[in-house]
Amino acid sequence: MKRALKILALIIICTLFGSYASAQTKVNKEELKIEIENLYNNRSKVFINGDLSALQSYFDTSHKYGEWALEHEIKRVKYLKHWAYQRNIEFKDVKSSVILYKVYNTKKGVRLALKELYKFNYFYKNDSNPTINSFGVGIKHTVDLTKKNDKWVIFSDWYTDCFEDALKSYTGDITPWDFSKDEVFSIENCPKVINENYEGRYDRLKAIKYADKYCGASLDYNTDYKYNKKYKDYNGIGGDCTNFASQVLGDKDAGGLKFDGSWHCNYPKYGMAEGSKAFVNADAFRNYLLYSGKGKLIKRGDFKQLITPIEGYPCGSVQKLEPGDLICYAKGHDIDHFAIVTSWDSRGYPLINSHTTDRYHVPWDLGWGDKNIFFHLIHIR
């Protein structure tokens, strides 16, 4: 994704060319892991309580990078609460854990290279006996911490954000967002039962098992949160979402669809596998699927169009999706992202996995709220 590429480029620049002056006192890595986890978890409480003013204490706003980080976090809170309001959803809690890769001493304090693993728990407010649904998100950060009043705070924080493409409508000030007069979408209750006996050349169940194992954000705590090492990782050079979707369809341990002259991957004896243009490029992949006959377009539309009831499908066109189908995300006519349908929540809301910002069983439209966003629902034959 284009914005993801720009942000990751900034991360690389910061990491390679930032000032790593030696601090007089070395900071314990395990202590820092606890500190940043506590900081992120305290920050995430605002997703639940909505107290935007509380966020200010977690950022050093004496300079522009701290101001930007704070404003961005305020927008994220406003968006998530707005998204939940319109779907009659309430978040029970949001928790973060951290995999800390590296620590560098800097003039201001410390720089951390880490992966943040979010777990979101939510339920539908109008259910008589609410079920807790959960999804996971994995985000790689390069974050600078500095001491303020003898407490670690965020000096700067660079990362690819799972909400990025939905934040344009929100302001970064602490004025509460009033969405009480906004439309609440009617999300019908359409529980999904997954067929355990799918037949055909595409192994749907193996495909979603692969997508769960290698998505990088699984809620299975026995995972190592890593991608499949035999494939090249395109994060930082255009994004890895299409490469991952192609793996789910074609890897021998996943969907097992046969390669051909346009859509294929080369597996060298040494080094990582690299795919053809149709394997790794979003526009080319979408066109290949539809023109090759491997995929069929169920419907293209905005969110409201795709959840509007149609004959036989009270939850709209999204109800036609099956395990291992794909959702293509477009900004106008520009194909920007791919995700794999892997599960459904308690009311039959489709959930997806993807790469670049790593997602595990995330509601299919979460983070894609701009009016220029269109979704292409693609059924794999």
Side-chain angles (χ1 to χ4, degrees), residues 121-149:
N121 292 325
Y122 70 94
F123 60 91
Y124 288 89
K125 292 187 287 186
N126 58 354
D127 282 356
S128 57
N129 187 21
T131 298
I132 301 298
N133 300 281
S134 302
F135 64 88
V137 175
I139 299 177
K140 291 182 178 179
H141 296 252
T142 296
V143 55
D144 280 10
L145 299 181
T146 189
K147 282 286 183 75
K148 188 175 182 181
N149 298 325

PDB file of all heavy atoms in Angstrom, residues 121-149:
ATOM      1  N   ASN A 121     -11.622  -7.021  22.082  1.00  0.00           N
ATOM      2  CA  ASN A 121     -12.798  -7.807  22.467  1.00  0.00           C
ATOM      3  C   ASN A 121     -14.037  -6.929  22.353  1.00  0.00           C
ATOM      4  O   ASN A 121     -14.061  -5.809  22.892  1.00  0.00           O
ATOM      5  CB  ASN A 121     -12.675  -8.320  23.899  1.00  0.00           C
ATOM      6  CG  ASN A 121     -11.582  -9.364  24.059  1.00  0.00           C
ATOM      7  OD1 ASN A 121     -11.344 -10.172  23.171  1.00  0.00           O
ATOM      8  ND2 ASN A 121     -10.897  -9.338  25.185  1.00  0.00           N
ATOM      9  N   TYR A 122     -15.062  -7.432  21.671  1.00  0.00           N
ATOM     10  CA  TYR A 122     -16.274  -6.631  21.471  1.00  0.00           C
ATOM     11  C   TYR A 122     -17.522  -7.503  21.506  1.00  0.00           C
ATOM     12  O   TYR A 122     -17.450  -8.732  21.403  1.00  0.00           O
ATOM     13  CB  TYR A 122     -16.211  -5.862  20.153  1.00  0.00           C
ATOM     14  CG  TYR A 122     -16.306  -6.726  18.904  1.00  0.00           C
ATOM     15  CD1 TYR A 122     -17.529  -6.940  18.273  1.00  0.00           C
ATOM     16  CD2 TYR A 122     -15.173  -7.321  18.347  1.00  0.00           C
ATOM     17  CE1 TYR A 122     -17.617  -7.727  17.125  1.00  0.00           C
ATOM     18  CE2 TYR A 122     -15.249  -8.096  17.208  1.00  0.00           C
ATOM     19  CZ  TYR A 122     -16.477  -8.301  16.596  1.00  0.00           C
ATOM     20  OH  TYR A 122     -16.565  -9.085  15.468  1.00  0.00           O
ATOM     21  N   PHE A 123     -18.679  -6.851  21.649  1.00  0.00           N
ATOM     22  CA  PHE A 123     -19.965  -7.546  21.606  1.00  0.00           C
ATOM     23  C   PHE A 123     -21.003  -6.624  20.975  1.00  0.00           C
ATOM     24  O   PHE A 123     -20.802  -5.406  20.861  1.00  0.00           O
ATOM     25  CB  PHE A 123     -20.400  -7.993  23.003  1.00  0.00           C
ATOM     26  CG  PHE A 123     -20.568  -6.878  23.994  1.00  0.00           C
ATOM     27  CD1 PHE A 123     -21.790  -6.238  24.170  1.00  0.00           C
ATOM     28  CD2 PHE A 123     -19.491  -6.446  24.768  1.00  0.00           C
ATOM     29  CE1 PHE A 123     -21.946  -5.212  25.074  1.00  0.00           C
ATOM     30  CE2 PHE A 123     -19.633  -5.410  25.682  1.00  0.00           C
ATOM     31  CZ  PHE A 123     -20.868  -4.787  25.838  1.00  0.00           C
ATOM     32  N   TYR A 124     -22.127  -7.217  20.563  1.00  0.00           N
ATOM     33  CA  TYR A 124     -23.232  -6.443  19.992  1.00  0.00           C
ATOM     34  C   TYR A 124     -24.183  -6.032  21.110  1.00  0.00           C
ATOM     35  O   TYR A 124     -24.689  -6.867  21.858  1.00  0.00           O
ATOM     36  CB  TYR A 124     -23.966  -7.262  18.933  1.00  0.00           C
ATOM     37  CG  TYR A 124     -23.161  -7.439  17.665  1.00  0.00           C
ATOM     38  CD1 TYR A 124     -22.291  -8.518  17.515  1.00  0.00           C
ATOM     39  CD2 TYR A 124     -23.258  -6.514  16.629  1.00  0.00           C
ATOM     40  CE1 TYR A 124     -21.531  -8.665  16.356  1.00  0.00           C
ATOM     41  CE2 TYR A 124     -22.510  -6.664  15.468  1.00  0.00           C
ATOM     42  CZ  TYR A 124     -21.646  -7.737  15.334  1.00  0.00           C
ATOM     43  OH  TYR A 124     -20.900  -7.889  14.199  1.00  0.00           O
ATOM     44  N   LYS A 125     -24.447  -4.727  21.206  1.00  0.00           N
ATOM     45  CA  LYS A 125     -25.192  -4.190  22.333  1.00  0.00           C
ATOM     46  C   LYS A 125     -26.650  -4.652  22.367  1.00  0.00           C
ATOM     47  O   LYS A 125     -27.243  -4.733  23.433  1.00  0.00           O
ATOM     48  CB  LYS A 125     -25.130  -2.661  22.316  1.00  0.00           C
ATOM     49  CG  LYS A 125     -23.745  -2.102  22.598  1.00  0.00           C
ATOM     50  CD  LYS A 125     -23.758  -0.594  22.733  1.00  0.00           C
ATOM     51  CE  LYS A 125     -23.946   0.081  21.405  1.00  0.00           C
ATOM     52  NZ  LYS A 125     -23.805   1.562  21.525  1.00  0.00           N
ATOM     53  N   ASN A 126     -27.244  -4.922  21.201  1.00  0.00           N
ATOM     54  CA  ASN A 126     -28.657  -5.279  21.195  1.00  0.00           C
ATOM     55  C   ASN A 126     -28.909  -6.783  21.271  1.00  0.00           C
ATOM     56  O   ASN A 126     -30.044  -7.231  21.126  1.00  0.00           O
ATOM     57  CB  ASN A 126     -29.360  -4.696  19.965  1.00  0.00           C
ATOM     58  CG  ASN A 126     -28.726  -5.161  18.657  1.00  0.00           C
ATOM     59  OD1 ASN A 126     -27.696  -5.833  18.667  1.00  0.00           O
ATOM     60  ND2 ASN A 126     -29.329  -4.797  17.542  1.00  0.00           N
ATOM     61  N   ASP A 127     -27.865  -7.582  21.489  1.00  0.00           N
ATOM     62  CA  ASP A 127     -28.059  -9.023  21.682  1.00  0.00           C
ATOM     63  C   ASP A 127     -28.557  -9.280  23.091  1.00  0.00           C
ATOM     64  O   ASP A 127     -28.045  -8.708  24.060  1.00  0.00           O
ATOM     65  CB  ASP A 127     -26.745  -9.779  21.455  1.00  0.00           C
ATOM     66  CG  ASP A 127     -26.412  -9.944  19.986  1.00  0.00           C
ATOM     67  OD1 ASP A 127     -27.239  -9.541  19.149  1.00  0.00           O
ATOM     68  OD2 ASP A 127     -25.327 -10.452  19.681  1.00  0.00           O
ATOM     69  N   SER A 128     -29.544 -10.160  23.224  1.00  0.00           N
ATOM     70  CA  SER A 128     -30.094 -10.462  24.549  1.00  0.00           C
ATOM     71  C   SER A 128     -29.084 -11.189  25.426  1.00  0.00           C
ATOM     72  O   SER A 128     -29.058 -11.021  26.643  1.00  0.00           O
ATOM     73  CB  SER A 128     -31.373 -11.308  24.404  1.00  0.00           C
ATOM     74  OG  SER A 128     -31.104 -12.497  23.676  1.00  0.00           O
ATOM     75  N   ASN A 129     -28.257 -12.005  24.814  1.00  0.00           N
ATOM     76  CA  ASN A 129     -27.213 -12.722  25.549  1.00  0.00           C
ATOM     77  C   ASN A 129     -25.892 -12.523  24.791  1.00  0.00           C
ATOM     78  O   ASN A 129     -25.451 -13.405  24.049  1.00  0.00           O
ATOM     79  CB  ASN A 129     -27.562 -14.203  25.665  1.00  0.00           C
ATOM     80  CG  ASN A 129     -26.612 -14.960  26.562  1.00  0.00           C
ATOM     81  OD1 ASN A 129     -25.927 -14.358  27.393  1.00  0.00           O
ATOM     82  ND2 ASN A 129     -26.551 -16.270  26.393  1.00  0.00           N
ATOM     83  N   PRO A 130     -25.238 -11.365  24.978  1.00  0.00           N
ATOM     84  CA  PRO A 130     -24.085 -10.990  24.136  1.00  0.00           C
ATOM     85  C   PRO A 130     -22.940 -11.993  24.193  1.00  0.00           C
ATOM     86  O   PRO A 130     -22.597 -12.524  25.245  1.00  0.00           O
ATOM     87  CB  PRO A 130     -23.657  -9.644  24.730  1.00  0.00           C
ATOM     88  CG  PRO A 130     -24.861  -9.120  25.415  1.00  0.00           C
ATOM     89  CD  PRO A 130     -25.552 -10.333  25.965  1.00  0.00           C
ATOM     90  N   THR A 131     -22.352 -12.230  23.022  1.00  0.00           N
ATOM     91  CA  THR A 131     -21.165 -13.069  22.882  1.00  0.00           C
ATOM     92  C   THR A 131     -19.946 -12.171  22.705  1.00  0.00           C
ATOM     93  O   THR A 131     -19.989 -11.201  21.944  1.00  0.00           O
ATOM     94  CB  THR A 131     -21.299 -13.988  21.650  1.00  0.00           C
ATOM     95  OG1 THR A 131     -22.415 -14.852  21.825  1.00  0.00           O
ATOM     96  CG2 THR A 131     -20.036 -14.815  21.446  1.00  0.00           C
ATOM     97  N   ILE A 132     -18.862 -12.489  23.402  1.00  0.00           N
ATOM     98  CA  ILE A 132     -17.617 -11.737  23.228  1.00  0.00           C
ATOM     99  C   ILE A 132     -16.892 -12.244  21.994  1.00  0.00           C
ATOM    100  O   ILE A 132     -16.598 -13.431  21.874  1.00  0.00           O
ATOM    101  CB  ILE A 132     -16.700 -11.862  24.460  1.00  0.00           C
ATOM    102  CG1 ILE A 132     -17.403 -11.341  25.706  1.00  0.00           C
ATOM    103  CG2 ILE A 132     -15.389 -11.116  24.222  1.00  0.00           C
ATOM    104  CD1 ILE A 132     -17.768  -9.869  25.653  1.00  0.00           C
ATOM    105  N   ASN A 133     -16.646 -11.352  21.056  1.00  0.00           N
ATOM    106  CA  ASN A 133     -15.876 -11.645  19.851  1.00  0.00           C
ATOM    107  C   ASN A 133     -14.493 -11.011  19.983  1.00  0.00           C
ATOM    108  O   ASN A 133     -14.351  -9.944  20.597  1.00  0.00           O
ATOM    109  CB  ASN A 133     -16.582 -11.077  18.619  1.00  0.00           C
ATOM    110  CG  ASN A 133     -17.969 -11.658  18.416  1.00  0.00           C
ATOM    111  OD1 ASN A 133     -18.120 -12.758  17.919  1.00  0.00           O
ATOM    112  ND2 ASN A 133     -19.000 -10.900  18.810  1.00  0.00           N
ATOM    113  N   SER A 134     -13.491 -11.646  19.392  1.00  0.00           N
ATOM    114  CA  SER A 134     -12.117 -11.158  19.521  1.00  0.00           C
ATOM    115  C   SER A 134     -11.412 -11.138  18.170  1.00  0.00           C
ATOM    116  O   SER A 134     -11.662 -12.006  17.324  1.00  0.00           O
ATOM    117  CB  SER A 134     -11.312 -12.047  20.487  1.00  0.00           C
ATOM    118  OG  SER A 134     -11.919 -12.102  21.758  1.00  0.00           O
ATOM    119  N   PHE A 135     -10.543 -10.149  17.984  1.00  0.00           N
ATOM    120  CA  PHE A 135      -9.672 -10.142  16.813  1.00  0.00           C
ATOM    121  C   PHE A 135      -8.320  -9.565  17.193  1.00  0.00           C
ATOM    122  O   PHE A 135      -8.159  -8.905  18.234  1.00  0.00           O
ATOM    123  CB  PHE A 135     -10.288  -9.375  15.641  1.00  0.00           C
ATOM    124  CG  PHE A 135     -10.520  -7.903  15.849  1.00  0.00           C
ATOM    125  CD1 PHE A 135      -9.534  -6.964  15.578  1.00  0.00           C
ATOM    126  CD2 PHE A 135     -11.756  -7.436  16.286  1.00  0.00           C
ATOM    127  CE1 PHE A 135      -9.755  -5.612  15.742  1.00  0.00           C
ATOM    128  CE2 PHE A 135     -11.994  -6.078  16.454  1.00  0.00           C
ATOM    129  CZ  PHE A 135     -10.988  -5.160  16.184  1.00  0.00           C
ATOM    130  N   GLY A 136      -7.311  -9.853  16.361  1.00  0.00           N
ATOM    131  CA  GLY A 136      -5.949  -9.421  16.648  1.00  0.00           C
ATOM    132  C   GLY A 136      -5.368  -8.569  15.530  1.00  0.00           C
ATOM    133  O   GLY A 136      -5.700  -8.763  14.359  1.00  0.00           O
ATOM    134  N   VAL A 137      -4.499  -7.642  15.904  1.00  0.00           N
ATOM    135  CA  VAL A 137      -3.786  -6.796  14.946  1.00  0.00           C
ATOM    136  C   VAL A 137      -2.324  -6.730  15.370  1.00  0.00           C
ATOM    137  O   VAL A 137      -2.024  -6.574  16.561  1.00  0.00           O
ATOM    138  CB  VAL A 137      -4.379  -5.367  14.907  1.00  0.00           C
ATOM    139  CG1 VAL A 137      -3.537  -4.467  14.001  1.00  0.00           C
ATOM    140  CG2 VAL A 137      -5.831  -5.389  14.430  1.00  0.00           C
ATOM    141  N   GLY A 138      -1.425  -6.861  14.405  1.00  0.00           N
ATOM    142  CA  GLY A 138       0.005  -6.744  14.672  1.00  0.00           C
ATOM    143  C   GLY A 138       0.594  -5.543  13.942  1.00  0.00           C
ATOM    144  O   GLY A 138       0.406  -5.407  12.734  1.00  0.00           O
ATOM    145  N   ILE A 139       1.271  -4.659  14.680  1.00  0.00           N
ATOM    146  CA  ILE A 139       1.815  -3.433  14.102  1.00  0.00           C
ATOM    147  C   ILE A 139       3.287  -3.293  14.483  1.00  0.00           C
ATOM    148  O   ILE A 139       3.632  -3.361  15.666  1.00  0.00           O
ATOM    149  CB  ILE A 139       1.046  -2.195  14.600  1.00  0.00           C
ATOM    150  CG1 ILE A 139      -0.428  -2.277  14.176  1.00  0.00           C
ATOM    151  CG2 ILE A 139       1.679  -0.919  14.067  1.00  0.00           C
ATOM    152  CD1 ILE A 139      -1.273  -1.130  14.703  1.00  0.00           C
ATOM    153  N   LYS A 140       4.150  -3.080  13.487  1.00  0.00           N
ATOM    154  CA  LYS A 140       5.566  -2.850  13.751  1.00  0.00           C
ATOM    155  C   LYS A 140       5.815  -1.362  13.973  1.00  0.00           C
ATOM    156  O   LYS A 140       5.373  -0.523  13.173  1.00  0.00           O
ATOM    157  CB  LYS A 140       6.414  -3.377  12.593  1.00  0.00           C
ATOM    158  CG  LYS A 140       6.407  -4.896  12.488  1.00  0.00           C
ATOM    159  CD  LYS A 140       7.299  -5.383  11.372  1.00  0.00           C
ATOM    160  CE  LYS A 140       7.316  -6.910  11.300  1.00  0.00           C
ATOM    161  NZ  LYS A 140       8.170  -7.416  10.200  1.00  0.00           N
ATOM    162  N   HIS A 141       6.496  -1.059  15.058  1.00  0.00           N
ATOM    163  CA  HIS A 141       6.791   0.323  15.437  1.00  0.00           C
ATOM    164  C   HIS A 141       8.293   0.572  15.468  1.00  0.00           C
ATOM    165  O   HIS A 141       9.075  -0.310  15.815  1.00  0.00           O
ATOM    166  CB  HIS A 141       6.299   0.623  16.857  1.00  0.00           C
ATOM    167  CG  HIS A 141       4.828   0.555  17.065  1.00  0.00           C
ATOM    168  ND1 HIS A 141       4.045   1.685  17.254  1.00  0.00           N
ATOM    169  CD2 HIS A 141       3.979  -0.500  17.168  1.00  0.00           C
ATOM    170  CE1 HIS A 141       2.782   1.323  17.460  1.00  0.00           C
ATOM    171  NE2 HIS A 141       2.723  -0.002  17.418  1.00  0.00           N
ATOM    172  N   THR A 142       8.671   1.809  15.171  1.00  0.00           N
ATOM    173  CA  THR A 142       9.938   2.368  15.612  1.00  0.00           C
ATOM    174  C   THR A 142       9.556   3.550  16.486  1.00  0.00           C
ATOM    175  O   THR A 142       9.061   4.571  15.990  1.00  0.00           O
ATOM    176  CB  THR A 142      10.812   2.817  14.437  1.00  0.00           C
ATOM    177  OG1 THR A 142      11.163   1.683  13.647  1.00  0.00           O
ATOM    178  CG2 THR A 142      12.089   3.473  14.948  1.00  0.00           C
ATOM    179  N   VAL A 143       9.728   3.392  17.789  1.00  0.00           N
ATOM    180  CA  VAL A 143       9.239   4.393  18.734  1.00  0.00           C
ATOM    181  C   VAL A 143      10.404   4.943  19.557  1.00  0.00           C
ATOM    182  O   VAL A 143      11.264   4.186  20.013  1.00  0.00           O
ATOM    183  CB  VAL A 143       8.145   3.801  19.654  1.00  0.00           C
ATOM    184  CG1 VAL A 143       8.621   2.561  20.378  1.00  0.00           C
ATOM    185  CG2 VAL A 143       7.628   4.829  20.646  1.00  0.00           C
ATOM    186  N   ASP A 144      10.442   6.250  19.694  1.00  0.00           N
ATOM    187  CA  ASP A 144      11.416   6.914  20.552  1.00  0.00           C
ATOM    188  C   ASP A 144      10.740   7.296  21.861  1.00  0.00           C
ATOM    189  O   ASP A 144       9.672   7.925  21.859  1.00  0.00           O
ATOM    190  CB  ASP A 144      11.959   8.185  19.882  1.00  0.00           C
ATOM    191  CG  ASP A 144      13.029   7.880  18.855  1.00  0.00           C
ATOM    192  OD1 ASP A 144      13.214   6.692  18.532  1.00  0.00           O
ATOM    193  OD2 ASP A 144      13.664   8.824  18.363  1.00  0.00           O
ATOM    194  N   LEU A 145      11.371   6.917  22.981  1.00  0.00           N
ATOM    195  CA  LEU A 145      10.882   7.283  24.301  1.00  0.00           C
ATOM    196  C   LEU A 145      11.840   8.277  24.944  1.00  0.00           C
ATOM    197  O   LEU A 145      13.059   8.206  24.734  1.00  0.00           O
ATOM    198  CB  LEU A 145      10.764   6.053  25.201  1.00  0.00           C
ATOM    199  CG  LEU A 145       9.807   4.940  24.772  1.00  0.00           C
ATOM    200  CD1 LEU A 145       9.806   3.821  25.809  1.00  0.00           C
ATOM    201  CD2 LEU A 145       8.394   5.460  24.552  1.00  0.00           C
ATOM    202  N   THR A 146      11.289   9.172  25.709  1.00  0.00           N
ATOM    203  CA  THR A 146      12.094  10.130  26.455  1.00  0.00           C
ATOM    204  C   THR A 146      11.513  10.274  27.855  1.00  0.00           C
ATOM    205  O   THR A 146      10.340   9.945  28.075  1.00  0.00           O
ATOM    206  CB  THR A 146      12.126  11.497  25.730  1.00  0.00           C
ATOM    207  OG1 THR A 146      13.087  12.340  26.356  1.00  0.00           O
ATOM    208  CG2 THR A 146      10.768  12.172  25.764  1.00  0.00           C
ATOM    209  N   LYS A 147      12.316  10.745  28.784  1.00  0.00           N
ATOM    210  CA  LYS A 147      11.846  10.916  30.154  1.00  0.00           C
ATOM    211  C   LYS A 147      11.226  12.308  30.331  1.00  0.00           C
ATOM    212  O   LYS A 147      11.805  13.316  29.932  1.00  0.00           O
ATOM    213  CB  LYS A 147      12.996  10.744  31.152  1.00  0.00           C
ATOM    214  CG  LYS A 147      13.393   9.297  31.428  1.00  0.00           C
ATOM    215  CD  LYS A 147      12.354   8.609  32.307  1.00  0.00           C
ATOM    216  CE  LYS A 147      12.759   7.183  32.664  1.00  0.00           C
ATOM    217  NZ  LYS A 147      13.815   7.129  33.694  1.00  0.00           N
ATOM    218  N   LYS A 148      10.038  12.323  30.922  1.00  0.00           N
ATOM    219  CA  LYS A 148       9.351  13.565  31.230  1.00  0.00           C
ATOM    220  C   LYS A 148       8.785  13.432  32.638  1.00  0.00           C
ATOM    221  O   LYS A 148       7.963  12.545  32.897  1.00  0.00           O
ATOM    222  CB  LYS A 148       8.229  13.813  30.215  1.00  0.00           C
ATOM    223  CG  LYS A 148       7.575  15.176  30.322  1.00  0.00           C
ATOM    224  CD  LYS A 148       6.567  15.355  29.198  1.00  0.00           C
ATOM    225  CE  LYS A 148       5.927  16.727  29.256  1.00  0.00           C
ATOM    226  NZ  LYS A 148       4.922  16.906  28.172  1.00  0.00           N
ATOM    227  N   ASN A 149       9.255  14.286  33.549  1.00  0.00           N
ATOM    228  CA  ASN A 149       8.877  14.171  34.968  1.00  0.00           C
ATOM    229  C   ASN A 149       9.176  12.763  35.488  1.00  0.00           C
ATOM    230  O   ASN A 149       8.353  12.142  36.178  1.00  0.00           O
ATOM    231  CB  ASN A 149       7.402  14.514  35.170  1.00  0.00           C
ATOM    232  CG  ASN A 149       7.080  15.943  34.782  1.00  0.00           C
ATOM    233  OD1 ASN A 149       7.894  16.841  34.980  1.00  0.00           O
ATOM    234  ND2 ASN A 149       5.901  16.152  34.211  1.00  0.00           N
TER     235      ASN A 149
END
